[in-house]
Amino acid sequence: MQTKNVLGLKEVNAILDAAQREAQANDWRITVAIADDSGELLGLRRLDGAAPMTAMVSAQKARTAALSHKETRVFEDMINGGRTAFLSAPLEGLLEGGVPVLVDGQVIGAVGVSGVKSDQDAQVAKAGIAAII
């Protein structure tokens, strides 16, 4: 029987805290969402001043990264590169800022961030993940 790591409350809180520190160090008003490997939401933190829609967008980015096992930047690049037919795929959150959490080569979840430029969203997500890897 195979076994796998999972994100528990301790890891979720560590990711949220580290992501918040990264955002606050840069004076960014963001929301960070964490999903399990099936894309279901485990945690969400909307910082003061973050737009309400960032909660929905960050959760969608986390879900897409978890289900696809890819950074959401891949999809944004694909669409910007002219493959607009991909917009009809049954996914949301196709903008950079969703990053899978990999442990021992397995995706155990993902982090999605929304609120600033896409590459800055990804920076915050990766800072959060670094707290547990």
Side-chain angles (χ1 to χ4, degrees):
M1 182 176 296
Q2 295 182 357
T3 59
K4 69 176 183 175
N5 293 297
V6 296
L7 292 170
L9 184 58
K10 178 181 172 184
E11 292 80 22
V12 168
N13 284 328
I15 293 168
L16 290 171
D17 291 344
Q20 180 175 346
R21 284 191 300 273
E22 179 71 15
Q24 288 177 327
N26 290 286
D27 197 30
W28 293 337
R29 292 163 184 83
I30 55 92
T31 299
V32 58
I34 302 169
D36 65 13
D37 61 339
S38 69
E40 295 301 322
L41 197 60
L42 293 173
L44 184 132
R45 188 174 296 170
R46 190 172 111 196
L47 302 187
D48 292 344
M53 74 175 281
T54 61
M56 177 181 63
V57 174
S58 64
Q60 291 170 343
K61 288 179 180 183
R63 182 173 195 274
T64 296
L67 292 174
S68 69
H69 294 196
K70 296 177 175 25
E71 285 195 38
T72 53
R73 181 195 66 185
V74 169
F75 304 114
E76 182 176 5
D77 290 346
M78 183 186 317
I79 293 162
N80 288 341
R83 195 163 172 213
T84 56
F86 195 78
L87 289 169
S88 65
L91 295 169
E92 296 176 338
L94 300 175
L95 301 170
E96 184 175 5
V99 181
V101 179
L102 286 155
V103 175
D104 297 330
Q106 292 183 321
V107 173
I108 64 166
V111 177
V113 177
S114 178
V116 286
K117 294 178 183 177
S118 290
D119 63 319
Q120 295 167 333
D121 288 342
Q123 176 183 328
V124 173
K126 290 174 183 177
I129 293 168
I132 64 161
I133 302 297

